[in-house]
Amino acid sequence: LVLAGVGAAHLRGDGDLESGQLVPKLAQHVHEGIRYIGGARFDSADPEARSAGAEWQPFGRCCWVLPRVELSVQESRRTTTRNSAHISEGTASSEVASSSSTSSTEPKDEASGQLVQGAVLAVHLRWRQCEGQPSTSDSSWAAERRRAVEALGRLRPPLKGGHRPYSGELLRQSEQVTKEQFEAKVNEALEAFRSGELKKVVLARKVLMELTQEIDAVALLRHIVGKTHKRQYLFVFEPSPGAAFVSLTPERLCKVDGADIWTEAVAGTWPMEEYNKIGEAALLASSKKHSNEHQVVVDYISKLLGRVSQHVKVCEEHILPLRDLVHIKQSYHAIAAGADGVAESAGDPYRAYGLTNFFCTEMSPTPAVGGIPLDKARRFIERAEPFDRGFYAAPCGVVGPRGSELIVAIRSCLVRGGRELHVYAGAGMVQGSNPSEEHAEIRLKMRQFTDAFPRAPACAVSAGGRTGTAASIQRLAELPNMNSLWATLVVEELSRLGVRNYVIC
């Protein structure tokens, strides 16, 4: 499914959901075109979770938006295998309403002059119906219709010749936790494994990037994806202007279609160079650490699926190759079961909702992004990571009355103010993990963001963080002597190359 939306016909957040509920509760009789896009925090199901960081405030504990205008393309009617969801400007009306209406057509691609096959353009309207009046005769309907027309009026056709490539550069890059500090936390985890306190824990890193020019979330995704990325789920969510979340993840949390459930386990990581050198069979047998990490995830998922189904099919594990690295992947298919152990009755109007909420509250976070035992892993992560994960590694995607599709939002980035990128990635620690190798593995996972922009030259950075060659030259000219000038240039170049320790005599 490829789904994009703009505006908000309806918004569901913290105050609109019942206790224990992380996704909108939609009955099966609701029109199948009503689909909410959004997600919930990594720690949304944790009663002891710490407060959200300031950077994640616009997202709340969970946030789901019914787009005012939606464009969708069903995967079965496309030639591409890429899955994506996008919504922006989700700050419009949040009124409670009782009715909805959709209309659709096949949009035309102005750049090629051809119809987009399988595409549906829908407009969502929600309004209150006054008792004793026709549904289209009250003021609520008139106001909603006016908002829908205004939203359609803001749409623009695709740019002929395609979009201009992003020309900005990386101004500066920093990380709150040093390599030595991260490796110390890994050693603490290894000690917890030896003592029996933990079996696995996933530790993440966060890199802060500042760009020379503003970039919106969709342009960022377009810039990073290019034409080379496959086998990934793409997700963009912008609940308010200036705050957007982007994820390019290889892992799906769940797909629910009636009583049918699909999920998958993705764990174990190798560099692509090693995979190309020795091949899939040798790679699967080469590392006990990676195999152990994957088996922990597999056992956990199988046990949880047994709570909702007695009909679970486990597919053979295989290698999932991405651009810079490969993972072990294993897929599952199950049929939801009732209390008597047989397939659950299709008469339950909230079956799809119940299964989706189960995945959000019980399956998330999975061992691939959290740890085992989960409660102790959560507390360890809070102590080890001085930042808020927010929607990183959280359940995000699309929820409808008959089913849902949610990702595990790893390999992700929070975009703030157009120029500030918070990049997140993590690695699973188990007995036998090497601290230095885990740090390097996360660097590989971050490369799709951190290596996506050329670095701005040293002379492009002026005092106060602004860009400008003249101001930078003036700053250098004010240095007291040639030795200071030379040392300044050497230090800036070493910093640009990522060198952390050096001595200038």
Side-chain angles (χ1 to χ4, degrees):
L1 174 68
V2 177
L3 184 67
V6 63
H10 194 223
L11 182 66
R12 302 292 296 274
D14 297 0
D16 306 301
L17 303 179
E18 301 173 2
S19 176
Q21 182 180 353
L22 292 179
V23 297
K25 190 172 184 179
L26 301 172
Q28 289 187 349
H29 67 266
V30 174
H31 191 283
E32 63 180 4
I34 301 300
R35 292 176 290 201
Y36 285 77
I37 304 176
R41 287 175 53 84
F42 169 81
D43 56 9
S44 56
D46 181 6
E48 301 178 28
R50 58 187 171 190
S51 300
E55 68 274 23
W56 289 103
Q57 289 297 330
F59 294 81
R61 175 171 165 265
C62 57
C63 186
W64 299 92
V65 178
L66 174 66
R68 171 66 69 196
V69 181
E70 175 192 286
L71 176 65
S72 62
V73 182
Q74 290 295 329
E75 183 180 358
S76 60
R77 300 177 68 177
R78 288 175 56 88
T79 57
T80 179
T81 59
R82 184 175 295 156
N83 296 270
S84 66
H86 163 245
I87 187 164
S88 63
E89 300 177 18
T91 57
S93 170
S94 60
E95 62 192 278
V96 179
S98 59
S99 301
S100 65
S101 174
T102 62
S103 62
S104 64
T105 185
E106 287 196 333
K108 187 176 182 180
D109 183 350
E110 295 291 342
S112 63
Q114 302 294 321
L115 288 175
V116 180
Q117 298 297 322
V120 176
L121 181 67
V123 181
H124 295 128
L125 301 95
R126 296 176 63 90
W127 68 95
R128 289 185 181 276
Q129 180 178 346
C130 296
E131 187 175 354
Q133 295 185 11
S135 62
T136 59
S137 64
D138 60 2
S139 58
S140 176
W141 156 255
E144 184 70 351
R145 182 177 58 185
R146 183 176 63 254
R147 284 189 285 265
V149 172
E150 291 173 352
L152 285 172
R154 291 193 295 269
L155 297 183
R156 296 293 181 269
L159 296 175
K160 292 186 177 181
H163 296 269
R164 290 183 179 180
Y166 177 72
S167 59
E169 299 173 318
L170 176 61
L171 192 61
R172 58 176 58 87
Q173 180 175 305
S174 62
E175 189 168 355
Q176 186 177 352
V177 179
T178 67
K179 182 175 185 291
E180 292 75 18
Q181 291 171 332
F182 177 84
E183 291 180 357
K185 295 300 180 183
V186 177
N187 284 321
E188 289 182 23
L190 293 175
E191 182 58 38
F193 302 147
R194 286 189 287 268
S195 68
E197 179 184 358
L198 291 173
K199 293 180 63 178
K200 177 182 179 178
V201 67
V202 178
L203 296 180
R205 290 169 50 197
K206 170 184 169 181
V207 169
L208 179 61
M209 302 169 62
E210 185 179 348
L211 306 179
T212 58
Q213 299 178 21
E214 289 190 6
I215 185 171
D216 67 66
V218 177
L220 173 64
L221 185 65
R222 188 186 302 117
H223 177 79
I224 293 173
V225 171
K227 298 180 180 180
T228 59
H229 285 246
K230 295 181 180 180
R231 306 179 185 91
Q232 289 176 301
Y233 302 95
L234 312 180
F235 181 77
V236 179
F237 185 57
E238 188 175 9
S240 65
F245 179 66
V246 178
S247 177
L248 296 83
T249 175
E251 186 170 2
R252 178 168 61 185
L253 176 65
C254 69
K255 180 179 180 181
V256 176
D257 185 3
D260 286 287
I261 307 167
W262 292 266
T263 188
E264 54 200 40
V266 176
T269 305
W270 293 269
M272 178 61 73
E273 292 81 2
E274 187 174 353
Y275 170 69
N276 291 333
K277 182 179 179 180
I278 67 175
E280 180 169 341
L283 196 64
L284 287 172
S286 66
S287 174
K288 182 179 179 181
K289 179 264 175 182
H290 290 85
S291 299
N292 288 344
E293 180 184 349
H294 178 73
Q295 192 59 46
V296 166
V297 177
V298 170
D299 294 343
Y300 183 85
I301 291 178
S302 298
K303 182 178 179 180
L304 274 180
L305 283 178
R307 292 171 51 184
V308 294
S309 173
Q310 294 185 358
H311 309 276
V312 180
K313 177 182 178 182
V314 182
C315 301
E316 290 187 2
E317 63 182 36
H318 64 278
I319 290 293
L320 173 67
L322 302 176
R323 189 185 69 172
D324 299 313
L325 40 80
V326 299
H327 300 290
I328 305 175
K329 180 176 180 179
Q330 196 160 28
S331 300
Y332 304 77
H333 175 239
I335 300 176
D340 56 358
V342 299
E344 192 169 356
S345 170
D348 180 5
Y350 294 105
R351 177 176 56 189
Y353 154 76
L355 292 172
T356 303
N357 201 60
F358 170 82
F359 273 92
C360 288
T361 57
E362 303 297 330
M363 191 77 81
S364 178
T366 71
V369 295
I372 297 176
L374 179 57
D375 288 341
K376 291 184 178 180
R378 281 169 166 163
R379 304 288 78 81
F380 189 94
I381 290 170
E382 283 190 353
R383 295 193 303 269
E385 296 176 3
F387 54 84
D388 178 16
R389 288 192 176 191
F391 272 37
Y392 161 68
C396 298
V398 183
V399 175
R402 293 171 178 78
S404 60
E405 187 164 9
L406 301 177
I407 62 169
V408 180
I410 55 177
R411 319 289 160 78
S412 55
C413 172
L414 172 66
V415 185
R416 297 189 68 203
R419 288 179 51 193
E420 188 176 285
L421 309 183
H422 300 240
V423 180
Y424 303 84
M429 314 297 157
V430 294
Q431 187 67 45
S433 291
N434 181 289
S436 180
E437 291 178 359
E438 301 297 349
H439 190 273
E441 177 181 315
I442 296 177
R443 180 178 56 82
L444 263 181
K445 294 174 177 177
M446 287 181 163
R447 281 184 60 182
Q448 59 189 357
F449 292 104
T450 57
D451 291 0
F453 308 94
R455 288 184 178 268
C459 63
V461 184
S462 67
R466 297 172 297 173
T467 59
T469 302
S472 297
I473 293 176
Q474 179 64 31
R475 175 176 60 87
L476 295 174
E478 292 174 352
L479 294 173
N481 52 52
M482 286 299 296
N483 286 337
S484 298
L485 172 61
W486 180 250
T488 299
L489 294 176
V490 170
V491 169
E492 289 184 353
E493 180 64 12
L494 289 172
S495 298
R496 185 184 73 82
L497 294 173
V499 177
R500 294 180 178 273
N501 302 302
Y502 41 82
V503 177
I504 297 179
C505 300

